[in-house]
Amino acid sequence: MKLYSLESQINSGGDVIDISDPKGRISSYFIWSEGNGSFLNFMTPHGVAQKKIRYSDVSELDFLSANIGVPIFSEKAMNEIDDFIPGKLEWYKIIISCEGHDVACNLCKVNRYLSLIDKDKSFFRVLSDGEKILSKAVYKDTFEDDFIIARDVDFKERLVVSQSFVDFCHSKNLKINFDSPV
């Protein structure tokens, strides 16, 4: 199965949406699936577009890259994806500020965790305390279950989508780019 990473169509020289997460609750919940996300009942996350991102990008594109590994989708993309794989993802509003405008978008919580990375073929860096950090992931070719979008069970910050997700997005003319996962 061919895997892809989600990429923004913004030509921003690496600038992303900066999601404010001073307590680490957003990344803990959305990436590492820690806690129940109840804090989201009492607040709406906010993001700020970095310097090279334009309001037209934020308001017209269907996927935005963030400083933390949480996907941001447009309202249109959220509705289309939710129809394609109903009940598989959780969605939460985020307000993105850009060039004096606020745009409502959606954070996506991926609830599917699978063994995606081939640990024997991947490359690791060893820290002075002996901890191993994944430096170059090599993804498996086959999986026990077919999937549309998933995070790795051990390296949860690694998020990939399948060819069927790519094909679906193209069929719906969603403004999302795809690349080989890192």
Side-chain angles (χ1 to χ4, degrees), residues 4 13 22 28 31 48 50 53 60 82 90 100 106-107 123 129-130 132 152 154 165 167 175 182:
Y4 299 87
S28 291
I31 299 171
V48 176
Q50 292 177 344
I53 298 174
E60 295 173 13
D82 214 34
E90 293 177 42
N106 300 278
L107 294 173
F123 296 90
D129 65 359
K132 290 171 64 175
D152 186 79
D154 294 313
F165 185 89
D167 294 343
K175 295 175 183 172
V182 293

Side-chain angles (χ1 to χ4, degrees), residues 72-122:
I72 303 171
F73 290 99
S74 69
E75 193 78 15
K76 173 188 172 187
M78 179 193 72
N79 290 329
E80 295 286 4
I81 294 166
D82 214 34
D83 285 345
F84 179 52
I85 48 173
K88 299 290 184 186
L89 306 169
E90 293 177 42
W91 301 95
Y92 299 89
K93 292 284 181 223
I94 181 170
I95 302 299
I96 307 295
S97 297
C98 183
E99 297 182 327
H101 302 276
D102 287 341
V103 178
C105 292
N106 300 278
L107 294 173
C108 177
K109 183 172 187 305
V110 176
N111 293 313
R112 187 84 188 262
Y113 292 86
L114 299 170
S115 179
L116 303 170
I117 294 176
D118 186 329
K119 293 178 191 171
D120 294 329
K121 294 180 182 175
S122 294

